[in-house]
Short mmCIF file of all heavy atoms in Angstrom, two decimals:
data_model
loop_
_atom_site.label_atom_id
_atom_site.label_comp_id
_atom_site.label_asym_id
_atom_site.label_seq_id
_atom_site.Cartn_x
_atom_site.Cartn_y
_atom_site.Cartn_z
N MET A 1 -10.80 -15.91 8.70
CA MET A 1 -10.62 -14.98 9.76
C MET A 1 -11.95 -14.20 10.02
O MET A 1 -12.37 -13.54 9.16
CB MET A 1 -9.46 -14.03 9.56
CG MET A 1 -9.27 -12.97 10.49
SD MET A 1 -7.95 -11.80 10.11
CE MET A 1 -6.49 -12.98 10.11
N LYS A 2 -12.41 -14.29 11.19
CA LYS A 2 -13.65 -13.60 11.59
C LYS A 2 -13.33 -12.28 12.28
O LYS A 2 -12.75 -12.26 13.20
CB LYS A 2 -14.59 -14.46 12.51
CG LYS A 2 -15.82 -13.82 12.96
CD LYS A 2 -16.79 -13.60 11.75
CE LYS A 2 -18.08 -12.98 12.23
NZ LYS A 2 -18.72 -12.25 11.14
N LEU A 3 -13.73 -11.14 11.58
CA LEU A 3 -13.56 -9.79 12.12
C LEU A 3 -14.80 -9.21 12.58
O LEU A 3 -15.84 -9.55 12.10
CB LEU A 3 -12.87 -8.94 11.02
CG LEU A 3 -11.54 -9.38 10.53
CD1 LEU A 3 -11.17 -8.56 9.29
CD2 LEU A 3 -10.48 -9.22 11.59
N SER A 4 -14.70 -8.22 13.38
CA SER A 4 -15.87 -7.45 13.79
C SER A 4 -16.40 -6.64 12.59
O SER A 4 -15.67 -6.46 11.61
CB SER A 4 -15.51 -6.53 14.92
OG SER A 4 -14.75 -5.48 14.55
N GLU A 5 -17.63 -6.24 12.76
CA GLU A 5 -18.28 -5.54 11.66
C GLU A 5 -17.48 -4.13 11.41
O GLU A 5 -17.27 -3.77 10.27
CB GLU A 5 -19.67 -5.09 12.06
CG GLU A 5 -20.49 -4.46 10.95
CD GLU A 5 -21.95 -4.37 11.26
OE1 GLU A 5 -22.55 -5.22 11.82
OE2 GLU A 5 -22.47 -3.14 10.89
N LYS A 6 -17.07 -3.54 12.50
CA LYS A 6 -16.35 -2.23 12.29
C LYS A 6 -14.99 -2.49 11.73
O LYS A 6 -14.53 -1.66 10.89
CB LYS A 6 -16.21 -1.51 13.65
CG LYS A 6 -17.47 -0.79 14.06
CD LYS A 6 -17.23 0.24 15.17
CE LYS A 6 -18.46 0.96 15.46
NZ LYS A 6 -18.32 1.97 16.49
N ALA A 7 -14.34 -3.53 12.02
CA ALA A 7 -13.08 -3.87 11.41
C ALA A 7 -13.25 -4.04 9.91
O ALA A 7 -12.45 -3.68 9.09
CB ALA A 7 -12.44 -5.10 12.08
N GLU A 8 -14.30 -4.76 9.51
CA GLU A 8 -14.57 -4.97 8.15
C GLU A 8 -14.88 -3.66 7.47
O GLU A 8 -14.44 -3.38 6.34
CB GLU A 8 -15.81 -5.98 7.96
CG GLU A 8 -15.27 -7.34 8.24
CD GLU A 8 -16.40 -8.31 7.73
OE1 GLU A 8 -17.57 -7.88 7.52
OE2 GLU A 8 -16.03 -9.54 7.80
N GLU A 9 -15.52 -2.72 8.10
CA GLU A 9 -15.85 -1.42 7.57
C GLU A 9 -14.49 -0.64 7.32
O GLU A 9 -14.38 0.06 6.22
CB GLU A 9 -16.71 -0.55 8.49
CG GLU A 9 -18.14 -1.00 8.48
CD GLU A 9 -19.01 -0.29 9.48
OE1 GLU A 9 -18.66 0.95 9.68
OE2 GLU A 9 -19.91 -0.78 10.05
N ILE A 10 -13.56 -0.74 8.29
CA ILE A 10 -12.31 -0.11 8.09
C ILE A 10 -11.49 -0.68 6.87
O ILE A 10 -11.05 0.06 6.08
CB ILE A 10 -11.47 -0.24 9.33
CG1 ILE A 10 -12.14 0.60 10.49
CG2 ILE A 10 -10.02 0.27 9.21
CD1 ILE A 10 -11.54 0.25 11.87
N LEU A 11 -11.52 -1.91 6.82
CA LEU A 11 -10.87 -2.71 5.67
C LEU A 11 -11.50 -2.26 4.32
O LEU A 11 -10.77 -1.91 3.33
CB LEU A 11 -10.87 -4.13 5.77
CG LEU A 11 -9.96 -4.76 6.82
CD1 LEU A 11 -10.18 -6.41 6.75
CD2 LEU A 11 -8.57 -4.45 6.45
N GLU A 12 -12.88 -2.17 4.34
CA GLU A 12 -13.41 -1.79 3.08
C GLU A 12 -13.15 -0.41 2.66
O GLU A 12 -12.85 -0.07 1.47
CB GLU A 12 -14.95 -1.91 3.33
CG GLU A 12 -15.86 -1.73 2.06
CD GLU A 12 -17.28 -2.01 2.22
OE1 GLU A 12 -17.72 -2.65 3.29
OE2 GLU A 12 -18.02 -1.75 1.26
N ALA A 13 -13.22 0.54 3.62
CA ALA A 13 -12.93 1.91 3.30
C ALA A 13 -11.50 2.10 2.93
O ALA A 13 -11.13 2.93 2.03
CB ALA A 13 -13.29 2.89 4.53
N THR A 14 -10.54 1.42 3.49
CA THR A 14 -9.25 1.39 3.08
C THR A 14 -8.98 0.93 1.79
O THR A 14 -8.20 1.48 0.93
CB THR A 14 -8.26 0.68 4.18
OG1 THR A 14 -8.50 1.34 5.47
CG2 THR A 14 -6.83 0.84 3.89
N TRP A 15 -9.58 -0.23 1.49
CA TRP A 15 -9.47 -0.83 0.20
C TRP A 15 -9.93 0.20 -0.95
O TRP A 15 -9.33 0.38 -1.93
CB TRP A 15 -10.38 -2.07 0.13
CG TRP A 15 -10.40 -2.66 -1.24
CD1 TRP A 15 -11.29 -2.43 -2.21
CD2 TRP A 15 -9.41 -3.58 -1.89
NE1 TRP A 15 -11.10 -3.11 -3.44
CE2 TRP A 15 -9.90 -3.79 -3.23
CE3 TRP A 15 -8.31 -4.11 -1.46
CZ2 TRP A 15 -9.13 -4.61 -4.06
CZ3 TRP A 15 -7.52 -4.83 -2.27
CH2 TRP A 15 -8.01 -5.16 -3.61
N ILE A 16 -11.06 0.84 -0.70
CA ILE A 16 -11.63 1.80 -1.68
C ILE A 16 -10.59 2.96 -1.88
O ILE A 16 -10.32 3.33 -3.01
CB ILE A 16 -12.93 2.43 -1.28
CG1 ILE A 16 -14.04 1.24 -1.33
CG2 ILE A 16 -13.43 3.54 -2.06
CD1 ILE A 16 -15.31 1.52 -0.76
N ALA A 17 -10.07 3.51 -0.82
CA ALA A 17 -9.03 4.60 -0.91
C ALA A 17 -7.82 4.11 -1.64
O ALA A 17 -7.34 4.83 -2.50
CB ALA A 17 -8.66 5.06 0.45
N VAL A 18 -7.32 2.97 -1.38
CA VAL A 18 -6.10 2.44 -2.03
C VAL A 18 -6.31 1.98 -3.52
O VAL A 18 -5.49 2.38 -4.34
CB VAL A 18 -5.52 1.29 -1.09
CG1 VAL A 18 -4.27 0.62 -1.86
CG2 VAL A 18 -5.00 1.95 0.20
N GLU A 19 -7.23 1.12 -3.67
CA GLU A 19 -7.46 0.51 -4.95
C GLU A 19 -8.23 1.28 -5.95
O GLU A 19 -7.81 1.51 -7.09
CB GLU A 19 -8.09 -0.91 -4.79
CG GLU A 19 -7.22 -1.84 -4.11
CD GLU A 19 -5.91 -2.22 -4.82
OE1 GLU A 19 -5.87 -2.29 -6.02
OE2 GLU A 19 -4.89 -2.32 -4.11
N GLU A 20 -9.37 1.89 -5.47
CA GLU A 20 -10.21 2.64 -6.41
C GLU A 20 -9.80 4.06 -6.62
O GLU A 20 -10.00 4.62 -7.64
CB GLU A 20 -11.61 2.53 -5.97
CG GLU A 20 -12.26 1.07 -6.03
CD GLU A 20 -13.61 0.99 -5.62
OE1 GLU A 20 -14.29 2.04 -5.36
OE2 GLU A 20 -14.19 -0.17 -5.54
N GLU A 21 -9.25 4.68 -5.61
CA GLU A 21 -8.92 6.08 -5.59
C GLU A 21 -7.36 6.21 -5.81
O GLU A 21 -6.88 7.37 -6.04
CB GLU A 21 -9.23 6.86 -4.40
CG GLU A 21 -10.70 6.79 -4.12
CD GLU A 21 -11.15 7.42 -2.77
OE1 GLU A 21 -10.32 8.03 -2.07
OE2 GLU A 21 -12.39 7.33 -2.43
N GLY A 22 -6.57 5.13 -5.92
CA GLY A 22 -5.21 5.18 -6.34
C GLY A 22 -4.35 5.79 -5.30
O GLY A 22 -3.23 6.28 -5.71
N GLN A 23 -4.70 5.70 -4.01
CA GLN A 23 -3.81 6.30 -2.96
C GLN A 23 -2.91 5.10 -2.41
O GLN A 23 -3.27 4.03 -2.61
CB GLN A 23 -4.61 6.82 -1.91
CG GLN A 23 -5.53 8.04 -2.43
CD GLN A 23 -6.42 8.62 -1.31
OE1 GLN A 23 -6.13 8.36 -0.17
NE2 GLN A 23 -7.52 9.30 -1.63
N SER A 24 -1.94 5.48 -1.79
CA SER A 24 -1.05 4.44 -1.07
C SER A 24 -1.61 4.10 0.35
O SER A 24 -1.08 2.99 0.89
CB SER A 24 0.42 4.88 -1.08
OG SER A 24 0.45 6.10 -0.18
N SER A 25 -2.57 4.94 0.83
CA SER A 25 -3.02 4.71 2.16
C SER A 25 -4.26 5.45 2.34
O SER A 25 -4.73 6.20 1.40
CB SER A 25 -1.96 5.13 3.23
OG SER A 25 -1.76 6.55 3.14
N ALA A 26 -4.97 5.33 3.51
CA ALA A 26 -6.15 6.03 3.74
C ALA A 26 -5.98 6.78 5.04
O ALA A 26 -5.24 6.37 5.90
CB ALA A 26 -7.33 5.02 3.95
N GLU A 27 -6.66 7.95 5.05
CA GLU A 27 -6.60 8.81 6.29
C GLU A 27 -7.53 8.24 7.33
O GLU A 27 -8.69 7.97 7.01
CB GLU A 27 -6.92 10.20 5.95
CG GLU A 27 -5.95 10.97 5.15
CD GLU A 27 -6.32 12.39 4.99
OE1 GLU A 27 -6.63 13.11 5.92
OE2 GLU A 27 -6.23 12.79 3.77
N VAL A 28 -7.04 8.06 8.57
CA VAL A 28 -7.89 7.53 9.63
C VAL A 28 -9.05 8.37 9.82
O VAL A 28 -10.29 7.90 9.89
CB VAL A 28 -7.12 7.46 11.00
CG1 VAL A 28 -8.12 7.04 12.13
CG2 VAL A 28 -5.99 6.33 10.84
N GLU A 29 -8.97 9.70 9.82
CA GLU A 29 -10.22 10.60 9.99
C GLU A 29 -11.27 10.50 8.93
O GLU A 29 -12.35 10.94 9.22
CB GLU A 29 -9.63 12.01 10.29
CG GLU A 29 -8.93 12.71 9.16
CD GLU A 29 -8.42 14.02 9.51
OE1 GLU A 29 -7.88 14.23 10.53
OE2 GLU A 29 -8.58 14.93 8.59
N LYS A 30 -10.83 10.08 7.72
CA LYS A 30 -11.83 9.97 6.70
C LYS A 30 -12.56 8.59 6.59
O LYS A 30 -13.40 8.56 5.85
CB LYS A 30 -11.18 10.37 5.28
CG LYS A 30 -10.69 11.73 5.27
CD LYS A 30 -10.29 12.06 3.82
CE LYS A 30 -9.83 13.52 3.74
NZ LYS A 30 -9.42 13.91 2.37
N ILE A 31 -12.20 7.66 7.42
CA ILE A 31 -12.76 6.40 7.42
C ILE A 31 -14.26 6.44 8.02
O ILE A 31 -15.07 5.66 7.62
CB ILE A 31 -11.88 5.38 8.23
CG1 ILE A 31 -10.49 5.14 7.52
CG2 ILE A 31 -12.60 4.08 8.41
CD1 ILE A 31 -10.60 4.58 6.11
N GLY A 32 -14.38 7.36 8.95
CA GLY A 32 -15.72 7.49 9.54
C GLY A 32 -15.96 6.66 10.85
O GLY A 32 -17.00 6.49 11.28
N ILE A 33 -14.85 6.02 11.30
CA ILE A 33 -14.86 5.42 12.58
C ILE A 33 -13.85 6.08 13.48
O ILE A 33 -12.70 6.23 13.02
CB ILE A 33 -14.58 3.86 12.37
CG1 ILE A 33 -15.76 3.26 11.44
CG2 ILE A 33 -14.50 3.22 13.75
CD1 ILE A 33 -15.41 1.88 11.15
N ALA A 34 -14.22 6.42 14.69
CA ALA A 34 -13.28 7.10 15.57
C ALA A 34 -11.96 6.42 15.64
O ALA A 34 -11.85 5.19 15.77
CB ALA A 34 -13.93 7.22 16.98
N ALA A 35 -10.89 7.25 15.75
CA ALA A 35 -9.55 6.71 15.76
C ALA A 35 -9.21 5.95 16.96
O ALA A 35 -8.33 5.09 16.92
CB ALA A 35 -8.56 7.82 15.73
N ASP A 36 -10.01 5.99 18.06
CA ASP A 36 -9.77 5.26 19.20
C ASP A 36 -10.63 3.99 19.36
O ASP A 36 -10.64 3.31 20.28
CB ASP A 36 -9.95 6.09 20.55
CG ASP A 36 -11.32 6.58 20.67
OD1 ASP A 36 -12.16 6.51 19.68
OD2 ASP A 36 -11.65 7.14 21.69
N ASP A 37 -11.33 3.65 18.22
CA ASP A 37 -12.19 2.50 18.26
C ASP A 37 -11.32 1.25 18.33
O ASP A 37 -10.37 1.05 17.68
CB ASP A 37 -13.03 2.55 16.97
CG ASP A 37 -14.11 1.47 16.99
OD1 ASP A 37 -13.92 0.24 16.84
OD2 ASP A 37 -15.32 1.90 17.17
N PRO A 38 -11.80 0.23 19.12
CA PRO A 38 -11.06 -1.05 19.30
C PRO A 38 -10.80 -1.81 18.00
O PRO A 38 -9.92 -2.63 17.94
CB PRO A 38 -11.95 -1.80 20.24
CG PRO A 38 -12.78 -0.84 20.92
CD PRO A 38 -13.04 0.34 19.99
N ALA A 39 -11.64 -1.48 17.00
CA ALA A 39 -11.47 -2.19 15.71
C ALA A 39 -10.13 -1.91 15.09
O ALA A 39 -9.56 -2.87 14.43
CB ALA A 39 -12.58 -1.85 14.67
N TYR A 40 -9.55 -0.79 15.28
CA TYR A 40 -8.21 -0.52 14.74
C TYR A 40 -7.18 -1.39 15.42
O TYR A 40 -6.34 -1.96 14.75
CB TYR A 40 -7.88 0.92 14.90
CG TYR A 40 -8.60 1.94 14.05
CD1 TYR A 40 -9.67 2.71 14.52
CD2 TYR A 40 -8.33 2.00 12.70
CE1 TYR A 40 -10.33 3.51 13.83
CE2 TYR A 40 -9.05 2.89 11.86
CZ TYR A 40 -10.00 3.70 12.38
OH TYR A 40 -10.80 4.51 11.63
N LYS A 41 -7.29 -1.56 16.72
CA LYS A 41 -6.37 -2.43 17.44
C LYS A 41 -6.54 -3.87 16.95
O LYS A 41 -5.58 -4.55 16.81
CB LYS A 41 -6.63 -2.27 18.95
CG LYS A 41 -5.63 -3.07 19.81
CD LYS A 41 -5.86 -2.75 21.28
CE LYS A 41 -4.87 -3.58 22.00
NZ LYS A 41 -4.96 -3.33 23.54
N GLU A 42 -7.78 -4.31 16.83
CA GLU A 42 -8.14 -5.63 16.29
C GLU A 42 -7.31 -5.89 15.02
O GLU A 42 -6.68 -6.91 14.77
CB GLU A 42 -9.56 -5.77 16.07
CG GLU A 42 -9.97 -7.10 15.43
CD GLU A 42 -11.54 -7.06 15.15
OE1 GLU A 42 -12.27 -6.14 15.54
OE2 GLU A 42 -11.93 -8.10 14.54
N LEU A 43 -7.39 -4.93 14.13
CA LEU A 43 -6.69 -5.01 12.79
C LEU A 43 -5.16 -4.96 12.81
O LEU A 43 -4.48 -5.76 12.17
CB LEU A 43 -7.21 -4.00 11.81
CG LEU A 43 -8.65 -4.18 11.40
CD1 LEU A 43 -9.22 -2.91 10.72
CD2 LEU A 43 -8.82 -5.42 10.54
N THR A 44 -4.74 -4.20 13.71
CA THR A 44 -3.21 -4.06 13.81
C THR A 44 -2.66 -5.27 14.55
O THR A 44 -1.58 -5.76 14.18
CB THR A 44 -2.74 -2.78 14.59
OG1 THR A 44 -3.36 -2.68 15.86
CG2 THR A 44 -3.10 -1.48 13.81
N GLU A 45 -3.37 -5.71 15.55
CA GLU A 45 -2.86 -6.95 16.27
C GLU A 45 -2.99 -8.24 15.38
O GLU A 45 -2.30 -9.11 15.58
CB GLU A 45 -3.65 -7.17 17.47
CG GLU A 45 -3.31 -6.24 18.63
CD GLU A 45 -4.00 -6.36 19.89
OE1 GLU A 45 -4.99 -7.12 20.00
OE2 GLU A 45 -3.70 -5.75 20.90
N SER A 46 -3.89 -8.20 14.35
CA SER A 46 -4.00 -9.28 13.41
C SER A 46 -3.02 -9.14 12.25
O SER A 46 -3.11 -9.93 11.33
CB SER A 46 -5.46 -9.35 12.85
OG SER A 46 -6.35 -9.64 13.90
N ALA A 47 -2.24 -8.11 12.33
CA ALA A 47 -1.21 -7.82 11.31
C ALA A 47 -1.82 -7.57 9.88
O ALA A 47 -1.28 -7.91 8.89
CB ALA A 47 -0.18 -8.85 11.25
N LEU A 48 -3.09 -6.92 9.87
CA LEU A 48 -3.64 -6.68 8.64
C LEU A 48 -3.51 -5.24 8.25
O LEU A 48 -3.38 -5.00 6.92
CB LEU A 48 -5.22 -6.86 8.78
CG LEU A 48 -5.62 -8.36 9.10
CD1 LEU A 48 -7.14 -8.41 9.20
CD2 LEU A 48 -5.14 -9.32 7.98
N ILE A 49 -3.32 -4.35 9.07
CA ILE A 49 -2.97 -2.89 8.85
C ILE A 49 -1.82 -2.40 9.72
O ILE A 49 -1.53 -3.03 10.78
CB ILE A 49 -4.14 -1.97 8.97
CG1 ILE A 49 -4.71 -1.90 10.36
CG2 ILE A 49 -5.29 -2.49 7.99
CD1 ILE A 49 -5.71 -0.80 10.61
N GLU A 50 -1.22 -1.23 9.25
CA GLU A 50 -0.45 -0.42 10.15
C GLU A 50 -0.91 0.93 10.09
O GLU A 50 -1.51 1.33 9.09
CB GLU A 50 0.99 -0.42 9.52
CG GLU A 50 1.84 -1.74 9.60
CD GLU A 50 3.18 -1.54 9.10
OE1 GLU A 50 3.80 -0.46 9.17
OE2 GLU A 50 3.78 -2.49 8.47
N ILE A 51 -0.78 1.57 11.22
CA ILE A 51 -1.24 3.06 11.29
C ILE A 51 0.00 3.88 11.62
O ILE A 51 0.67 3.57 12.64
CB ILE A 51 -2.33 3.28 12.34
CG1 ILE A 51 -3.57 2.42 11.99
CG2 ILE A 51 -2.71 4.66 12.44
CD1 ILE A 51 -4.73 2.55 13.02
N LYS A 52 0.31 4.77 10.73
CA LYS A 52 1.51 5.71 10.85
C LYS A 52 1.08 7.11 10.54
O LYS A 52 0.52 7.34 9.49
CB LYS A 52 2.58 5.31 9.92
CG LYS A 52 3.24 3.99 10.23
CD LYS A 52 4.26 3.69 9.22
CE LYS A 52 4.88 2.26 9.38
NZ LYS A 52 5.87 1.91 8.39
N GLU A 53 1.32 7.93 11.49
CA GLU A 53 0.98 9.45 11.31
C GLU A 53 -0.41 9.69 10.79
O GLU A 53 -0.59 10.45 9.82
CB GLU A 53 1.98 10.00 10.27
CG GLU A 53 3.46 9.97 10.91
CD GLU A 53 4.55 10.38 9.95
OE1 GLU A 53 4.17 10.93 8.91
OE2 GLU A 53 5.75 10.30 10.25
N GLY A 54 -1.46 9.03 11.34
CA GLY A 54 -2.74 9.19 11.00
C GLY A 54 -3.28 8.62 9.69
O GLY A 54 -4.37 8.97 9.14
N ARG A 55 -2.43 7.75 9.13
CA ARG A 55 -2.86 7.04 7.91
C ARG A 55 -2.79 5.49 8.07
O ARG A 55 -1.92 5.03 8.82
CB ARG A 55 -1.76 7.46 6.79
CG ARG A 55 -1.91 8.90 6.45
CD ARG A 55 -1.24 9.41 5.20
NE ARG A 55 -1.98 8.88 4.01
CZ ARG A 55 -3.00 9.43 3.49
NH1 ARG A 55 -3.61 10.45 4.05
NH2 ARG A 55 -3.53 8.99 2.42
N ILE A 56 -3.59 4.82 7.39
CA ILE A 56 -3.72 3.45 7.46
C ILE A 56 -3.08 2.81 6.14
O ILE A 56 -3.35 3.16 5.03
CB ILE A 56 -5.18 2.99 7.37
CG1 ILE A 56 -5.93 3.54 8.61
CG2 ILE A 56 -5.32 1.39 7.54
CD1 ILE A 56 -7.41 3.38 8.49
N TYR A 57 -2.20 1.83 6.41
CA TYR A 57 -1.52 1.14 5.31
C TYR A 57 -1.85 -0.34 5.46
O TYR A 57 -1.86 -0.84 6.57
CB TYR A 57 -0.04 1.35 5.48
CG TYR A 57 0.50 2.83 5.31
CD1 TYR A 57 0.53 3.53 6.40
CD2 TYR A 57 0.86 3.23 4.12
CE1 TYR A 57 0.90 4.96 6.28
CE2 TYR A 57 1.27 4.57 3.99
CZ TYR A 57 1.32 5.36 4.99
OH TYR A 57 1.65 6.69 4.99
N PHE A 58 -2.05 -1.01 4.30
CA PHE A 58 -2.38 -2.44 4.39
C PHE A 58 -0.98 -3.13 4.52
O PHE A 58 0.02 -2.80 3.96
CB PHE A 58 -2.84 -2.89 2.91
CG PHE A 58 -4.40 -2.78 2.78
CD1 PHE A 58 -4.99 -2.07 1.79
CD2 PHE A 58 -5.28 -3.36 3.76
CE1 PHE A 58 -6.32 -1.99 1.67
CE2 PHE A 58 -6.57 -3.29 3.64
CZ PHE A 58 -7.12 -2.67 2.60
N ARG A 59 -1.04 -4.24 5.21
CA ARG A 59 0.04 -5.13 5.24
C ARG A 59 -0.37 -6.20 4.18
O ARG A 59 -1.50 -6.19 3.68
CB ARG A 59 0.14 -5.84 6.67
CG ARG A 59 0.57 -4.68 7.61
CD ARG A 59 1.13 -5.02 8.86
NE ARG A 59 2.40 -5.74 8.60
CZ ARG A 59 3.03 -6.31 9.43
NH1 ARG A 59 2.71 -6.36 10.70
NH2 ARG A 59 4.18 -7.03 9.21
N SER A 60 0.48 -7.11 3.72
CA SER A 60 0.12 -8.00 2.58
C SER A 60 -1.10 -8.91 2.89
O SER A 60 -2.02 -8.94 2.10
CB SER A 60 1.32 -8.93 2.29
OG SER A 60 1.70 -9.65 3.41
N GLU A 61 -1.29 -9.36 4.11
CA GLU A 61 -2.49 -10.13 4.43
C GLU A 61 -3.67 -9.30 4.51
O GLU A 61 -4.70 -9.74 4.13
CB GLU A 61 -2.25 -10.93 5.77
CG GLU A 61 -3.35 -11.79 6.16
CD GLU A 61 -3.77 -12.88 5.15
OE1 GLU A 61 -2.93 -13.52 4.46
OE2 GLU A 61 -4.97 -13.26 4.97
N GLY A 62 -3.52 -8.07 5.03
CA GLY A 62 -4.67 -7.11 5.04
C GLY A 62 -5.25 -6.80 3.71
O GLY A 62 -6.42 -6.65 3.52
N LYS A 63 -4.31 -6.67 2.72
CA LYS A 63 -4.84 -6.42 1.33
C LYS A 63 -5.65 -7.46 0.86
O LYS A 63 -6.69 -7.24 0.25
CB LYS A 63 -3.60 -6.11 0.47
CG LYS A 63 -4.06 -5.43 -0.84
CD LYS A 63 -2.77 -4.89 -1.56
CE LYS A 63 -3.23 -4.02 -2.74
NZ LYS A 63 -2.12 -3.35 -3.27
N ARG A 64 -5.30 -8.71 1.04
CA ARG A 64 -6.09 -9.90 0.69
C ARG A 64 -7.36 -9.95 1.37
O ARG A 64 -8.40 -10.24 0.82
CB ARG A 64 -5.32 -11.21 1.01
CG ARG A 64 -4.16 -11.41 -0.03
CD ARG A 64 -3.48 -12.78 0.05
NE ARG A 64 -2.74 -12.97 1.25
CZ ARG A 64 -1.54 -12.72 1.50
NH1 ARG A 64 -0.91 -12.22 0.51
NH2 ARG A 64 -0.95 -12.98 2.63
N GLU A 65 -7.33 -9.69 2.76
CA GLU A 65 -8.52 -9.65 3.53
C GLU A 65 -9.41 -8.50 3.12
O GLU A 65 -10.70 -8.64 3.00
CB GLU A 65 -8.23 -9.57 5.04
CG GLU A 65 -9.44 -9.85 6.00
CD GLU A 65 -9.99 -11.14 5.86
OE1 GLU A 65 -9.24 -12.11 5.67
OE2 GLU A 65 -11.18 -11.26 6.07
N GLY A 66 -8.95 -7.40 2.81
CA GLY A 66 -9.72 -6.25 2.33
C GLY A 66 -10.39 -6.57 0.93
O GLY A 66 -11.56 -6.35 0.72
N ARG A 67 -9.71 -7.29 0.09
CA ARG A 67 -10.29 -7.73 -1.19
C ARG A 67 -11.50 -8.63 -0.92
O ARG A 67 -12.56 -8.60 -1.52
CB ARG A 67 -9.26 -8.45 -2.05
CG ARG A 67 -9.76 -8.79 -3.48
CD ARG A 67 -8.74 -9.49 -4.34
NE ARG A 67 -7.43 -8.77 -4.32
CZ ARG A 67 -6.29 -9.31 -3.93
NH1 ARG A 67 -6.29 -10.65 -3.43
NH2 ARG A 67 -5.17 -8.76 -3.90
N SER A 68 -11.36 -9.60 0.02
CA SER A 68 -12.34 -10.56 0.30
C SER A 68 -13.54 -9.85 0.89
O SER A 68 -14.65 -10.16 0.69
CB SER A 68 -11.85 -11.60 1.34
OG SER A 68 -10.78 -12.37 0.71
N THR A 69 -13.28 -8.88 1.81
CA THR A 69 -14.39 -8.16 2.45
C THR A 69 -15.16 -7.43 1.32
O THR A 69 -16.47 -7.41 1.35
CB THR A 69 -13.82 -7.15 3.49
OG1 THR A 69 -13.08 -7.89 4.43
CG2 THR A 69 -14.91 -6.35 4.08
N ILE A 70 -14.50 -6.75 0.34
CA ILE A 70 -15.16 -6.08 -0.64
C ILE A 70 -16.11 -6.98 -1.45
O ILE A 70 -17.21 -6.65 -1.78
CB ILE A 70 -14.20 -5.26 -1.59
CG1 ILE A 70 -13.58 -4.12 -0.94
CG2 ILE A 70 -14.79 -4.98 -2.97
CD1 ILE A 70 -14.50 -2.89 -0.68
N ARG A 71 -15.59 -8.12 -1.75
CA ARG A 71 -16.29 -9.19 -2.53
C ARG A 71 -17.47 -9.68 -1.83
O ARG A 71 -18.53 -9.86 -2.47
CB ARG A 71 -15.38 -10.30 -2.92
CG ARG A 71 -14.40 -9.91 -4.01
CD ARG A 71 -13.55 -11.12 -4.40
NE ARG A 71 -12.61 -10.70 -5.47
CZ ARG A 71 -11.54 -11.30 -5.75
NH1 ARG A 71 -11.18 -12.47 -5.14
NH2 ARG A 71 -10.77 -10.86 -6.66
N ARG A 72 -17.43 -9.80 -0.48
CA ARG A 72 -18.57 -10.26 0.28
C ARG A 72 -19.67 -9.19 0.32
O ARG A 72 -20.82 -9.52 0.42
CB ARG A 72 -18.13 -10.73 1.72
CG ARG A 72 -17.45 -11.99 1.88
CD ARG A 72 -17.26 -12.46 3.20
NE ARG A 72 -16.63 -11.49 4.09
CZ ARG A 72 -15.34 -11.39 4.38
NH1 ARG A 72 -14.50 -12.22 3.76
NH2 ARG A 72 -14.84 -10.48 5.15
N HIS A 73 -19.25 -7.97 0.33
CA HIS A 73 -20.17 -6.88 0.52
C HIS A 73 -20.77 -6.44 -0.88
O HIS A 73 -21.74 -5.94 -1.05
CB HIS A 73 -19.62 -5.72 1.25
CG HIS A 73 -19.31 -6.03 2.69
ND1 HIS A 73 -18.92 -5.08 3.58
CD2 HIS A 73 -19.33 -7.20 3.40
CE1 HIS A 73 -18.68 -5.62 4.76
NE2 HIS A 73 -19.00 -6.90 4.70
#
């Protein structure tokens, strides 16, 4: 799956928050990419993440894609 650079940045930051910092989700405002950026829509439409109440949650495929993104970078 080919994602935009910003979408990969969101996955990477979410992965770090969830896996390395032990959180269940990441705060959108702490990702460093504006909440209205089209990359969030790209990820939600691809069923990789869900955004609820200002927080990003991985869907199962998103977690796998996040792991792959971290490994590539």
Side-chain angles (χ1 to χ4, degrees):
M1 170 181 301
K2 180 64 178 157
L3 297 170
S4 69
E5 186 175 319
K6 283 195 176 182
E8 286 190 347
E9 288 177 30
I10 293 167
L11 285 179
E12 186 173 353
T14 303
W15 174 266
I16 290 168
V18 171
E19 295 297 322
E20 293 181 7
E21 296 173 10
Q23 300 176 22
S24 62
S25 61
E27 289 183 52
V28 172
E29 62 185 44
K30 290 188 178 181
I31 295 296
I33 297 174
D36 61 350
D37 192 286
Y40 290 105
K41 185 175 181 180
E42 175 185 356
L43 292 168
T44 57
E45 288 180 352
S46 298
L48 298 176
I49 65 169
E50 287 182 36
I51 299 177
K52 295 179 185 174
E53 299 176 4
R55 298 195 67 82
I56 302 170
Y57 297 86
F58 275 126
R59 301 203 57 189
S60 59
E61 182 61 34
K63 196 166 190 175
R64 286 190 290 274
E65 189 65 32
R67 183 180 315 120
S68 294
T69 300
I70 288 289
R71 288 180 179 164
R72 282 193 305 272
H73 292 187

